[in-house]
Amino acid sequence: ELCLTLRPTTAKTMAEQRTVSGLKELVEVVKQKQGEGKRVYVLYSGSKDESGKSWCPDCVAADPHIRKYLSAKGTDDQVLLTAEVGDRPQWKDQKNEFRTHPDIRIVNIPTLMRWGKRQMLVEGDCLDDGKLDMLFEEED
């Protein structure tokens, strides 16, 4: 006689991940997600070309690593927004809106930061799981 015990599976909740275009959309989505009680993280990355690849090699390395990390360890109260900062000439322009906005002011990409906090990971630090743990596990 075969006896099976069925246990309900608990689906792992994951962080939402979304790409936004430009500063205006970023700010709108941040406000919406914070209004839903989410902790918002932003990955600033070089814009992708027609083939879907960023011109920034460090961004190409960081993006899938961060997404894989969040798929494994993210929680449903976290949102990762990827904000594309423009093509290479747009990013190199010192007047780029992501360089000058008072809440952002990034100087290198990729940069991963929690919106409204000063903690950030820049360039190669985005590949360090220990540093990702510290950034994503920090409480309010």
Side-chain angles (χ1 to χ4, degrees):
E1 183 176 316
L2 179 62
C3 179
L4 295 174
T5 303
L6 298 177
R7 293 187 187 133
T9 58
T10 53
K12 173 136 174 47
T13 55
M14 307 181 153
E16 178 184 346
Q17 300 182 29
R18 180 172 168 182
T19 299
V20 296
S21 293
L23 182 61
K24 184 175 186 250
E25 184 182 359
L26 173 63
V27 172
E28 287 171 4
V29 175
V30 165
K31 284 182 184 169
Q32 174 196 346
K33 295 301 175 185
Q34 285 182 324
E36 296 170 7
K38 306 283 187 177
R39 291 185 289 158
V40 180
Y41 300 85
V42 183
L43 173 62
Y44 299 94
S45 182
S47 296
K48 294 182 167 105
D49 61 20
E50 311 80 46
S51 70
K53 188 172 179 181
S54 172
W55 57 267
C56 165
D58 290 339
C59 300
V60 170
D63 185 83
H65 185 82
I66 293 166
R67 290 180 187 283
K68 182 179 176 189
Y69 174 92
L70 275 179
S71 292
K73 295 187 174 184
T75 60
D76 63 355
D77 69 335
Q78 296 173 319
V79 177
L80 174 66
L81 302 176
T82 301
E84 296 184 349
V85 300
D87 61 22
R88 187 177 176 87
Q90 290 168 325
W91 170 245
K92 292 297 182 185
D93 181 349
Q94 295 304 305
K95 293 184 178 94
N96 181 293
E97 60 189 357
F98 294 99
R99 291 181 182 273
T100 60
H101 188 279
D103 292 331
I104 302 171
R105 294 187 190 195
I106 57 170
V107 295
N108 296 305
I109 54 171
T111 293
L112 175 64
M113 66 190 310
R114 181 160 173 205
W115 187 266
K117 306 284 185 185
R118 291 310 307 156
Q119 301 87 340
M120 66 178 68
L121 301 178
V122 180
E123 296 177 332
D125 286 347
C126 293
L127 299 171
D128 183 324
D129 285 349
K131 290 182 180 178
L132 288 169
D133 284 342
M134 288 192 306
L135 182 72
F136 284 108
E137 292 173 6
E138 178 163 336
E139 297 298 321
D140 291 327

